[in-house]
Amino acid sequence: MNTYSRLPLSIQKGKGTTVWSDRNEAYLDFTSGIATCNLGHCPPQVQKALEKQLSNLWHTSNLYHVPKQQELARLLVEKSCFQQVFFCNSGAEANEAAIKLVRAYANNNRKKQASIVTFQQSFHGRTLATVAATGQEKIKSGFDPMPEGFIHLPYNDYHSLQTIRELDPTAVMLELLQGEGGVVPADPDWVKELSTICKENGILLVVDEVQTGMGRTGSLFLYEQYNVEPDIMTLAKGLGSGFPIGAMLAKEEVAAAFKPGMHGSTFGGNPLACTAGFETLKIVSEESFLKNVATQSEFLHTQLENLLADFFFIKEKRGKGMLIGLEINGDAIDIVKIALEEKLLLLPAGPNVVRLLPPLTISQKEVITFVQKFIKVLQQYGEAEHG
């Protein structure tokens, strides 16, 4: 169906940071399948585990115990501040599960009506409930009537905190770094105060780490950098190295609101997806791996800082780790299209932000190759748009 504005490229093969077209032309991939292939394309350790699982079992049912699911759940709990995990197939489904858990928790605690505060320019998914949670009108367009129960407030705004105090919602749901909304990080002091308000008033704090989790921002989960403990966290994208998987994690007392039969998923926690997730998490959570991500991302950020002085149409560099946004004077999609000609894959994040999402396994040599290609792209864009 006519739901995607596709670029003129057909990708046939991928390895590491490189993909090849149907014409066998190589492209440097700075999209990672939109923050999904965090270990690069076809990582050997994940591939080997999947090949073994393929010969044993593809699918069963959540009516039975699924050992691979239990292994991944245990590792997620061990590496985070949560005690319970629900598996699904995507970030939207993980956020949908979080919304349902918040409502179940509200009903259990006899709150009159469950309400969730989210923020303007947020993005939480494409299901009807997650579209309603999203703070962008363009995402909602054409799908009225919207499900009720969501309140959108300005992001990084201290007046919003006062409003939250007054509204006393069941939960606050946010991205600590808005991805689709333009790569906008949350202010640490604002988040600290928000967390305090939530704790003091019994408001659940839900953090959407679908794009920021799994090492993307330099730590395993971004909430760690903000020194807060959410009540619920959602994951997907980088969790499965390209295999469809989502997860909703919660503190024990919050998770207790779900009872058998209240929520489920046919494919959620599938043995193949959980095998991919387990092997991916083992690698990404290693201290040496995260240290290398920090080193390479610092090098990349430094290179990009140097470009700001040379290209006046780049207004600002934002982001953390390997999730970077460059705000420009003009249309980001124009730079994306020029980059395609230079065999470089980039993404927009809104109308005027170019988003960089390289695999976390990128080498310093590959960063230098990217910079060389990107300079050519920026020069062409500058000549075409600004003379």
Side-chain angles (χ1 to χ4, degrees):
M1 294 188 186
N2 188 28
T3 55
Y4 302 103
S5 297
R6 298 185 195 272
L7 292 163
L9 173 65
S10 177
I11 297 171
Q12 300 291 317
K13 187 176 70 170
K15 196 70 183 173
T17 56
T18 305
V19 294
W20 287 266
S21 72
D22 52 354
R23 297 177 181 177
N24 205 32
E25 295 172 316
Y27 290 76
L28 182 61
D29 185 6
F30 260 55
T31 71
S32 301
I34 315 183
T36 296
C37 301
N38 285 5
L39 297 179
H41 294 277
C42 305
Q45 190 171 323
V46 180
Q47 182 177 335
K48 186 178 177 183
L50 280 168
E51 286 169 352
K52 184 179 177 182
Q53 185 61 41
L54 273 167
S55 64
N56 290 332
L57 185 69
W58 293 16
H59 180 73
T60 172
S61 161
N62 283 306
L63 293 172
Y64 314 109
H65 293 283
V66 184
K68 286 292 176 185
Q69 188 181 122
Q70 292 166 336
E71 284 178 22
L72 177 54
R74 273 195 294 268
L75 193 57
L76 281 167
V77 165
E78 179 189 315
K79 300 294 183 182
S80 71
C81 66
F82 306 96
Q83 292 85 44
Q84 296 279 301
V85 186
F86 173 83
F87 288 112
C88 49
N89 309 287
S90 67
E93 285 184 40
N95 285 333
E96 184 91 17
I99 291 163
K100 286 182 73 174
L101 182 58
V102 166
R103 291 192 173 193
Y105 179 84
N107 290 331
N108 268 12
N109 290 275
R110 294 183 174 84
K111 286 212 173 192
K112 286 182 182 177
Q113 187 175 351
S115 58
I116 300 175
V117 166
T118 65
F119 294 95
Q120 292 168 8
Q121 293 306 115
S122 61
F123 181 83
H124 296 296
R126 297 284 188 174
T127 65
L128 206 51
T130 55
V131 164
T134 292
Q136 299 184 50
E137 286 307 313
K138 67 179 182 181
I139 303 296
K140 303 176 196 293
S141 180
F143 300 113
D144 288 335
M146 283 285 115
E148 297 178 353
F150 298 97
I151 303 150
H152 305 300
L153 298 177
Y155 188 68
N156 274 339
D157 184 289
Y158 281 87
H159 293 295
S160 296
L161 301 184
Q162 183 56 36
T163 305
I164 290 166
R165 277 195 183 96
E166 292 165 2
L167 290 173
D168 190 29
T170 309
V172 173
M173 183 178 189
L174 81 158
E175 302 155 277
L176 292 168
L177 172 53
Q178 290 185 335
E180 301 294 330
V183 191
V184 182
D187 174 73
D189 292 334
W190 182 78
V191 171
K192 188 176 181 181
E193 191 170 335
L194 171 62
S195 176
T196 300
I197 290 167
C198 287
K199 279 187 170 63
E200 288 176 352
N201 295 278
I203 300 167
L204 299 180
L205 182 61
V206 183
V207 173
D208 176 344
E209 293 238 25
V210 169
Q211 191 160 158
T212 57
M214 298 303 295
R216 174 54 57 184
T217 59
S219 53
L220 186 55
F221 308 118
L222 184 52
Y223 78 79
E224 297 170 290
Q225 295 183 37
Y226 281 86
N227 295 312
V228 295
E229 276 203 10
D231 300 289
I232 298 172
M233 175 177 71
T234 55
L235 296 173
K237 289 190 179 289
L239 180 57
S241 287
F243 251 76
I245 186 170
M248 187 264 293
L249 290 74
K251 294 289 186 69
E252 189 86 57
E253 64 274 17
V254 181
F258 268 174
K259 300 292 188 287
M262 289 182 73
H263 195 46
S265 170
T266 296
F267 294 105
N270 176 279
L272 288 170
C274 285
T275 295
F278 183 74
E279 294 301 324
T280 301
L281 181 57
K282 272 202 308 186
I283 296 168
V284 172
S285 60
E286 287 173 5
E287 190 177 336
S288 58
F289 181 89
L290 290 169
K291 192 172 181 180
N292 187 60
V293 173
T295 300
Q296 298 306 332
S297 61
E298 186 179 347
F299 180 69
L300 175 56
H301 279 265
T302 301
Q303 298 301 310
L304 291 169
E305 286 286 351
N306 295 338
L307 298 182
L308 296 182
D310 297 331
F311 299 97
F312 69 91
F313 52 82
I314 303 177
K315 292 170 66 177
E316 187 182 10
K317 176 183 72 69
R318 299 192 292 262
K320 292 177 182 292
M322 297 288 188
L323 173 46
I324 303 167
L326 299 174
E327 185 177 347
I328 63 163
N329 282 319
D331 295 325
I333 192 65
D334 293 337
I335 287 182
V336 171
K337 287 176 178 177
I338 295 168
L340 199 64
E341 297 297 318
E342 291 295 327
K343 304 295 185 288
L344 173 64
L345 303 187
L346 304 175
L347 287 167
N352 62 345
V353 177
V354 176
R355 185 170 25 162
L356 312 179
L357 294 165
L360 306 184
T361 52
I362 193 167
S363 66
Q364 187 166 308
K365 184 180 176 183
E366 288 168 326
V367 171
I368 292 168
T369 300
F370 158 75
V371 171
Q372 291 168 345
K373 285 177 176 285
F374 195 45
I375 287 172
K376 288 182 185 176
V377 171
L378 295 174
Q379 286 171 340
Q380 290 178 54
Y381 175 79
E383 289 167 10
E385 296 296 320
H386 302 282

